[in-house]
Every structure is written in C-alpha cells, then in structure tokens.
Amino acid sequence: MIEDDPFRCFVPYPPAKVSHASSGALSGLTLAVKDLFDIKGYPTGAGSPTVLAQSGIKTRTAPVVKALLDTGARFVGKTHTDELAFSLNGKNAHFGAPVNPAAPDRITGGSSSGSMAAVAGRLADIALGSDTGGSVRAPASYGGLFGIRPSHGRLSLKRAWPLAESFDTAGFFARDGETFARVAEVLFGKDRVTLPERPRLLLADDLFAQAVPEAERILRNAVQRIVPLLGQPQSVRAVRDMDALYWAFRWLQGREAWTADGPMIERFAPPLGPGVAERFAFGRSVSDAEVARGEAVRRDFRARLAKLLGQDGVLLLPTVPDIAPLVSAGESELDDFRNRALRLLCLAGLSGFPQISIPVAHRDDAPLGLSVIGPKGSDKSLTAFAVRVERAARIRLA
C-alpha cells in the first residue's frame, strides 16, 4: 500500500490484504482503483459520505478488478472520485481534490481524478476509472496519459456504483503505450471489429473547431507529425447539429442519473456539493418528451457515425477544448468549461463507440490530448493504433 501520497489521490482506508497472481501478463505492475469498484476487504464510497456510511466492507471484488489482479497486477489503493461520479472537475466538496502531478496549478479533471493523479504521479503504473461523460478521457488529457473509454458494454460493471446505465463504462489509464497495450490485451480479448494496419483516417474539422484557437493549432500540428508514418487524414464533418447532441446527452444522462441515485438522495437528503446538486436537480426535471427526443437524436447519430467509420475508419478529434482549467477557477468558469467539453466528450457516449485520449502535446506547460474514435468493438486494435500515433508524434518531435 502507498504510505506517502503527495498528490492526495488515495482514499485513506485502513489497508486490507488484496491477493494477486504471482505471475501473468501484468506482473510487476501496480494498480490503483477508483472508489466506485468493489474490492474485497474495503468499503466503496463513490465519493459520497452517505454511500460510504452504508457500504460496509465488501466481501467480493468487481470482475474487472479481479481480471487485473488475476494477471499479476498488484493493488496499491482505492482512489478518490468526484461525488457520485457526477462531475468533470475532480473537486469533491467532502473529501477534497487530488493534485494534478503534470500541472499542479490546474485541476485533475473528474470523476476519475484520483486514478489519473496516481498514474501521472508515478504512484501506480495503471489505474482503473469509469467514464460516463468523459471521466477517463478528460483527466487523461489533463494529466498527459493514455486513457480509454471502451465500447459500451465491453467491460463488466458488475459490483460498480452506477451513474447512468446506458453511458457508464469502465476505463483505464497508463503513462506509456507499452503498458497501456498490456492492459488492453488482458481486458479486451478478441475484437469484434479489427482495424487494418493503416486505418482510414478522418479528421473532424467541425470538432477541431470546438477547441480554443491555440489548442486547435497545436493539435493540428500533432496530426501533421503522424502523417509520414500513418497517412494523410481526410477532412470530414462529423456532426450535423452539435447542440442537439449536447442536449440529448444531458437529458438522457440526467434522467438515468436520477433513476440511479435519486431514491437515495430523496431518502437521506445528503448535502451535495456545488454543481453536483444542480446536476441531480436537472436530472429530476427531465421530461419523458425530452428523453424521447434524446433517444431519437442518439439513434440518428449512432447510425451516422457507424456509416462514417465503417469497419476501417478512425476519427481524429480533440479530447477536450483546451488544457485543464486552473485550480483557482470559480464554479461558474468551471461549469462553462464543462459544458464546452461535453460537446466533444458526448460523442463516444451517445454512439457507444470506443475513444482513446493520447498524450501528444502541451500548451503553457500543461498536457493536451488528441483523441481517436473507432468502430464499436475495435477496442484492442484501436489501442494498438493509439500507441502508434503517440510514437509517431514523438519520433517526429525528436
């Protein structure tokens, strides 16, 4: 277990013995786990004092965690999460905020804040997180890490605290491509769709335009660095109506979040932190008509993206609009940035397709990630491609 935690990424639970295989594909790697996943011998707090008070000590371990332990990864601690995993900022009103090791004056992002900080701060080699609206991808970009939101349903969420069932995914972080690919090999098995060695690259001009101008310039330069090795991308328009997608995501996620956590909130009236309280109130207010409209938008977008990608296409886009906001930013500024980020982050959630944030750039000494989205079921081959993108970008820089 980690005793020195300079980045405040671990929940200070009393240590319990967690067994792992003595050999296997992940032997020698240390593992941190977001405090949404059950681990035998520990409570599961989900970033909420109320959930923690009711948890008790778990007697079984979540299957996705067990898969990592059974292939040799050594558990070093449970990591902080935003309250009920319903934030992108990494600030928990009850338990504080981890420090971003890659940019200490900037937020970690959430809700997998502690998992990102543990890997970026070299306190763990790999970390398990969850991603509903961007909770692995945004922190990965902010911390200069590889981070994946897999195809929806690809990894088990059994014995994990839910937020929004049709969007929730388990995801993971790693600092380097070799380690990232090792974890993918263990967790994903055989792809349903295998990307070719040189997939058809599609650069989403409309999505790059969602980034701030300097971030857009830097990320377009990063794309050009990979062209000699991976090919010239075709410019495309990925989205017909960004506002429609944003509201479809908000309505559907909000309704599902209230369905998951509303009964607990109504019964115990827990004091919810800034932003979290407002998002649950919004979820409670979503109408059946809005849900129906959201579902129609989701179906149309999923079909459009599936046609665009086929079985050999990869979409290039910014992970988020810019580097991480400053820790000193107020709630209004953070909420504005969150809403801008969701316009990029909601696409993988609405489609159910896998997305990987790749560490390829910096701005003002803070990391900035480039993302790839692949066909549903292409997770392992998309991981291999993402590793090649990072290597190509690094070689060209050198």
Side-chain angles (χ1 to χ4, degrees):
M1 301 300 295
I2 298 294
E3 295 182 2
D4 184 18
D5 183 11
F7 306 112
R8 302 193 297 272
C9 46
F10 291 104
V11 185
Y13 290 135
K17 181 177 176 56
V18 177
S19 298
H20 65 281
S22 58
S23 62
L26 303 183
S27 183
L29 298 181
T30 52
L31 166 68
V33 177
K34 185 177 184 176
D35 193 25
L36 295 184
F37 296 90
D38 289 354
I39 296 180
K40 183 179 179 180
Y42 285 84
T44 298
S48 162
T50 303
V51 173
L52 179 59
Q54 299 176 77
S55 167
I57 301 300
K58 302 303 181 183
T59 59
R60 302 184 74 179
T61 296
V64 69
V65 179
K66 193 171 186 302
L68 299 171
L69 298 172
D70 287 350
T71 47
R74 178 172 63 85
F75 174 73
V76 293
K78 297 195 84 175
T79 55
H80 283 294
T81 173
D82 287 63
E83 187 175 9
L84 299 170
F86 208 178
S87 177
L88 280 176
N89 295 330
K91 292 185 173 185
N92 188 305
H94 312 289
F95 300 110
V99 175
N100 183 344
D105 60 335
R106 297 183 179 275
I107 65 172
T108 56
S111 62
S112 304
S113 53
S115 290
M116 182 280 265
V119 175
R122 298 181 176 274
L123 301 179
D125 297 312
I126 56 176
L128 189 66
S130 69
D131 189 309
T132 301
S135 292
V136 168
R137 292 163 290 158
S141 181
Y142 297 163
L145 302 177
F146 286 92
I148 184 170
R149 173 199 168 88
S151 299
H152 187 259
R154 185 75 187 256
L155 300 181
S156 171
L157 284 172
K158 190 176 182 180
R159 300 190 186 96
W161 190 267
L163 177 60
E165 182 180 11
S166 73
F167 296 101
D168 291 347
T169 59
F172 55 89
F173 300 91
R175 286 186 301 276
D176 64 90
E178 179 185 358
T179 302
F180 192 60
R182 285 170 69 183
V183 179
E185 183 71 29
V186 165
L187 290 182
F188 292 139
K190 186 177 180 180
D191 276 342
R192 181 170 60 83
V193 174
T194 302
L195 291 167
E197 182 71 13
R198 285 179 69 112
R200 186 168 44 91
L201 300 184
L202 305 169
L203 190 146
D205 284 323
D206 53 336
L207 303 181
F208 272 81
Q210 294 290 319
V212 302
E214 183 62 8
E216 179 182 4
R217 183 189 67 79
I218 290 169
L219 290 175
R220 284 185 179 273
N221 285 343
V223 171
Q224 286 307 304
R225 292 201 302 271
I226 73 173
V227 165
L229 292 177
L230 300 177
Q232 181 70 46
Q234 173 191 353
S235 292
V236 298
R237 181 182 178 187
V239 172
R240 285 199 187 99
D241 186 338
M242 183 64 75
D243 284 343
L245 293 176
Y246 167 81
W247 282 110
F249 176 79
R250 289 287 313 277
W251 290 330
L252 296 173
Q253 183 202 39
R255 168 62 71 85
E256 292 181 16
W258 184 254
T259 299
D261 290 322
M264 181 270 291
I265 291 169
E266 289 191 317
R267 180 178 178 186
F268 297 106
L272 300 173
V276 177
E278 289 78 3
R279 284 188 277 282
F280 276 112
F282 172 81
R284 185 179 188 179
S285 73
V286 173
S287 69
D288 291 345
E290 288 168 333
V291 169
R293 286 165 60 192
E295 290 285 10
V297 169
R298 172 157 60 180
R299 284 194 300 271
D300 287 348
F301 175 66
R302 184 179 292 156
R304 174 182 171 84
L305 188 59
K307 183 177 180 180
L308 181 66
L309 296 181
Q311 295 198 331
D312 65 342
V314 170
L315 191 69
L316 302 169
L317 69 158
T319 304
V320 284
D322 201 3
I323 56 177
L326 292 167
V327 171
S328 59
E331 286 300 322
S332 175
E333 184 179 346
L334 289 173
D335 197 51
D336 287 346
F337 189 87
R338 175 182 183 274
N339 288 328
R340 291 188 62 188
L342 281 178
R343 284 171 160 76
L344 290 167
L345 295 166
C346 73
L347 307 181
L350 287 168
S351 65
F353 293 7
Q355 180 176 349
I356 298 172
S357 184
I358 309 168
V360 298
H362 283 75
R363 185 172 94 77
D364 292 346
D365 296 322
L368 183 64
L370 175 73
S371 269
V372 289
I373 294 178
K376 187 168 185 179
S378 67
D379 306 69
K380 189 164 71 171
S381 54
L382 186 67
T383 298
F385 179 72
V387 171
R388 291 172 60 211
V389 168
E390 190 271 340
R391 286 175 182 163
R394 181 158 36 90
I395 289 169
R396 299 298 296 178
L397 275 177

PDB file of all heavy atoms in Angstrom, residues 7 20 31 75 138 189 220 238 269 297 315 332 340 345 397:
ATOM      1  N   PHE A   7       0.082  13.594  -3.769  1.00  0.00           N
ATOM      2  CA  PHE A   7      -0.918  14.140  -4.683  1.00  0.00           C
ATOM      3  C   PHE A   7      -2.352  13.933  -4.179  1.00  0.00           C
ATOM      4  O   PHE A   7      -3.308  14.225  -4.892  1.00  0.00           O
ATOM      5  CB  PHE A   7      -0.733  13.522  -6.076  1.00  0.00           C
ATOM      6  CG  PHE A   7       0.661  13.685  -6.601  1.00  0.00           C
ATOM      7  CD1 PHE A   7       1.490  12.585  -6.769  1.00  0.00           C
ATOM      8  CD2 PHE A   7       1.172  14.950  -6.882  1.00  0.00           C
ATOM      9  CE1 PHE A   7       2.789  12.730  -7.222  1.00  0.00           C
ATOM     10  CE2 PHE A   7       2.471  15.113  -7.344  1.00  0.00           C
ATOM     11  CZ  PHE A   7       3.287  14.000  -7.514  1.00  0.00           C
ATOM     12  N   HIS A  20      -3.047 -11.096  -5.376  1.00  0.00           N
ATOM     13  CA  HIS A  20      -2.871 -11.015  -6.821  1.00  0.00           C
ATOM     14  C   HIS A  20      -2.013 -12.193  -7.263  1.00  0.00           C
ATOM     15  O   HIS A  20      -1.282 -12.788  -6.466  1.00  0.00           O
ATOM     16  CB  HIS A  20      -2.215  -9.694  -7.231  1.00  0.00           C
ATOM     17  CG  HIS A  20      -0.806  -9.533  -6.735  1.00  0.00           C
ATOM     18  ND1 HIS A  20      -0.514  -9.155  -5.437  1.00  0.00           N
ATOM     19  CD2 HIS A  20       0.394  -9.718  -7.350  1.00  0.00           C
ATOM     20  CE1 HIS A  20       0.791  -9.095  -5.278  1.00  0.00           C
ATOM     21  NE2 HIS A  20       1.370  -9.437  -6.425  1.00  0.00           N
ATOM     22  N   LEU A  31      -1.369  -1.283  -9.345  1.00  0.00           N
ATOM     23  CA  LEU A  31      -2.733  -0.953  -9.764  1.00  0.00           C
ATOM     24  C   LEU A  31      -3.443  -0.100  -8.719  1.00  0.00           C
ATOM     25  O   LEU A  31      -3.484  -0.466  -7.540  1.00  0.00           O
ATOM     26  CB  LEU A  31      -3.525  -2.250  -9.973  1.00  0.00           C
ATOM     27  CG  LEU A  31      -5.044  -2.147 -10.097  1.00  0.00           C
ATOM     28  CD1 LEU A  31      -5.432  -1.447 -11.400  1.00  0.00           C
ATOM     29  CD2 LEU A  31      -5.679  -3.536 -10.016  1.00  0.00           C
ATOM     30  N   PHE A  75      -2.354  -4.503  -6.300  1.00  0.00           N
ATOM     31  CA  PHE A  75      -3.210  -3.408  -5.834  1.00  0.00           C
ATOM     32  C   PHE A  75      -2.473  -2.539  -4.809  1.00  0.00           C
ATOM     33  O   PHE A  75      -1.863  -3.055  -3.866  1.00  0.00           O
ATOM     34  CB  PHE A  75      -4.474  -3.992  -5.210  1.00  0.00           C
ATOM     35  CG  PHE A  75      -5.385  -2.991  -4.562  1.00  0.00           C
ATOM     36  CD1 PHE A  75      -6.152  -2.129  -5.332  1.00  0.00           C
ATOM     37  CD2 PHE A  75      -5.476  -2.911  -3.183  1.00  0.00           C
ATOM     38  CE1 PHE A  75      -6.997  -1.212  -4.734  1.00  0.00           C
ATOM     39  CE2 PHE A  75      -6.318  -1.999  -2.568  1.00  0.00           C
ATOM     40  CZ  PHE A  75      -7.083  -1.146  -3.353  1.00  0.00           C
ATOM     41  N   ALA A 138     -11.139  13.066 -20.142  1.00  0.00           N
ATOM     42  CA  ALA A 138     -10.734  14.421 -19.767  1.00  0.00           C
ATOM     43  C   ALA A 138      -9.542  14.410 -18.815  1.00  0.00           C
ATOM     44  O   ALA A 138      -8.544  15.108 -19.069  1.00  0.00           O
ATOM     45  CB  ALA A 138     -11.915  15.190 -19.169  1.00  0.00           C
ATOM     46  N   GLY A 189      -9.591  -9.060 -24.809  1.00  0.00           N
ATOM     47  CA  GLY A 189      -9.699 -10.289 -25.581  1.00  0.00           C
ATOM     48  C   GLY A 189      -9.746  -9.994 -27.079  1.00  0.00           C
ATOM     49  O   GLY A 189      -9.111  -9.060 -27.556  1.00  0.00           O
ATOM     50  N   ARG A 220      -3.630  20.251 -34.454  1.00  0.00           N
ATOM     51  CA  ARG A 220      -3.486  20.029 -35.903  1.00  0.00           C
ATOM     52  C   ARG A 220      -2.023  19.790 -36.270  1.00  0.00           C
ATOM     53  O   ARG A 220      -1.715  18.969 -37.151  1.00  0.00           O
ATOM     54  CB  ARG A 220      -4.064  21.215 -36.677  1.00  0.00           C
ATOM     55  CG  ARG A 220      -5.591  21.230 -36.727  1.00  0.00           C
ATOM     56  CD  ARG A 220      -6.103  22.360 -37.613  1.00  0.00           C
ATOM     57  NE  ARG A 220      -7.549  22.378 -37.707  1.00  0.00           N
ATOM     58  CZ  ARG A 220      -8.268  21.677 -38.585  1.00  0.00           C
ATOM     59  NH1 ARG A 220      -7.645  20.889 -39.453  1.00  0.00           N
ATOM     60  NH2 ARG A 220      -9.586  21.768 -38.610  1.00  0.00           N
ATOM     61  N   ALA A 238     -18.217  15.668 -38.820  1.00  0.00           N
ATOM     62  CA  ALA A 238     -18.684  14.512 -38.067  1.00  0.00           C
ATOM     63  C   ALA A 238     -20.088  14.679 -37.510  1.00  0.00           C
ATOM     64  O   ALA A 238     -20.775  13.694 -37.240  1.00  0.00           O
ATOM     65  CB  ALA A 238     -17.719  14.219 -36.918  1.00  0.00           C
ATOM     66  N   ALA A 269     -31.422  12.824   1.920  1.00  0.00           N
ATOM     67  CA  ALA A 269     -31.143  14.250   1.726  1.00  0.00           C
ATOM     68  C   ALA A 269     -29.686  14.593   2.036  1.00  0.00           C
ATOM     69  O   ALA A 269     -29.393  15.490   2.833  1.00  0.00           O
ATOM     70  CB  ALA A 269     -32.077  15.095   2.598  1.00  0.00           C
ATOM     71  N   VAL A 297     -32.309  11.409 -31.237  1.00  0.00           N
ATOM     72  CA  VAL A 297     -31.039  12.014 -31.646  1.00  0.00           C
ATOM     73  C   VAL A 297     -29.908  10.998 -31.521  1.00  0.00           C
ATOM     74  O   VAL A 297     -29.043  10.889 -32.399  1.00  0.00           O
ATOM     75  CB  VAL A 297     -30.753  13.272 -30.801  1.00  0.00           C
ATOM     76  CG1 VAL A 297     -29.321  13.768 -31.028  1.00  0.00           C
ATOM     77  CG2 VAL A 297     -31.741  14.382 -31.128  1.00  0.00           C
ATOM     78  N   LEU A 315     -11.660   8.246 -36.361  1.00  0.00           N
ATOM     79  CA  LEU A 315     -11.924   9.684 -36.321  1.00  0.00           C
ATOM     80  C   LEU A 315     -10.925  10.355 -35.385  1.00  0.00           C
ATOM     81  O   LEU A 315     -10.733   9.918 -34.245  1.00  0.00           O
ATOM     82  CB  LEU A 315     -13.347   9.935 -35.825  1.00  0.00           C
ATOM     83  CG  LEU A 315     -13.888  11.359 -35.958  1.00  0.00           C
ATOM     84  CD1 LEU A 315     -14.114  11.712 -37.430  1.00  0.00           C
ATOM     85  CD2 LEU A 315     -15.206  11.492 -35.171  1.00  0.00           C
ATOM     86  N   SER A 332     -18.512  28.962 -11.717  1.00  0.00           N
ATOM     87  CA  SER A 332     -19.145  29.372 -12.970  1.00  0.00           C
ATOM     88  C   SER A 332     -18.222  29.115 -14.155  1.00  0.00           C
ATOM     89  O   SER A 332     -18.657  28.598 -15.198  1.00  0.00           O
ATOM     90  CB  SER A 332     -19.525  30.857 -12.903  1.00  0.00           C
ATOM     91  OG  SER A 332     -20.041  31.297 -14.135  1.00  0.00           O
ATOM     92  N   ARG A 340     -18.630  23.173 -22.500  1.00  0.00           N
ATOM     93  CA  ARG A 340     -17.901  23.156 -23.782  1.00  0.00           C
ATOM     94  C   ARG A 340     -17.278  21.786 -24.015  1.00  0.00           C
ATOM     95  O   ARG A 340     -17.315  21.247 -25.125  1.00  0.00           O
ATOM     96  CB  ARG A 340     -16.816  24.225 -23.790  1.00  0.00           C
ATOM     97  CG  ARG A 340     -17.331  25.657 -23.817  1.00  0.00           C
ATOM     98  CD  ARG A 340     -16.196  26.632 -24.012  1.00  0.00           C
ATOM     99  NE  ARG A 340     -15.525  26.403 -25.291  1.00  0.00           N
ATOM    100  CZ  ARG A 340     -14.403  27.018 -25.659  1.00  0.00           C
ATOM    101  NH1 ARG A 340     -13.822  27.886 -24.847  1.00  0.00           N
ATOM    102  NH2 ARG A 340     -13.864  26.763 -26.833  1.00  0.00           N
ATOM    103  N   LEU A 345     -16.993  15.441 -25.653  1.00  0.00           N
ATOM    104  CA  LEU A 345     -16.973  14.184 -24.921  1.00  0.00           C
ATOM    105  C   LEU A 345     -18.236  13.356 -25.093  1.00  0.00           C
ATOM    106  O   LEU A 345     -18.209  12.131 -24.909  1.00  0.00           O
ATOM    107  CB  LEU A 345     -16.743  14.467 -23.434  1.00  0.00           C
ATOM    108  CG  LEU A 345     -15.381  15.069 -23.076  1.00  0.00           C
ATOM    109  CD1 LEU A 345     -15.396  15.623 -21.651  1.00  0.00           C
ATOM    110  CD2 LEU A 345     -14.267  14.035 -23.235  1.00  0.00           C
ATOM    111  N   LEU A 397       8.792  14.740 -33.277  1.00  0.00           N
ATOM    112  CA  LEU A 397       9.266  15.822 -32.417  1.00  0.00           C
ATOM    113  C   LEU A 397      10.770  15.713 -32.200  1.00  0.00           C
ATOM    114  O   LEU A 397      11.497  16.707 -32.162  1.00  0.00           O
ATOM    115  CB  LEU A 397       8.551  15.791 -31.072  1.00  0.00           C
ATOM    116  CG  LEU A 397       7.206  16.506 -31.010  1.00  0.00           C
ATOM    117  CD1 LEU A 397       6.581  16.317 -29.620  1.00  0.00           C
ATOM    118  CD2 LEU A 397       7.365  17.987 -31.304  1.00  0.00           C
TER     119      LEU A 397
END
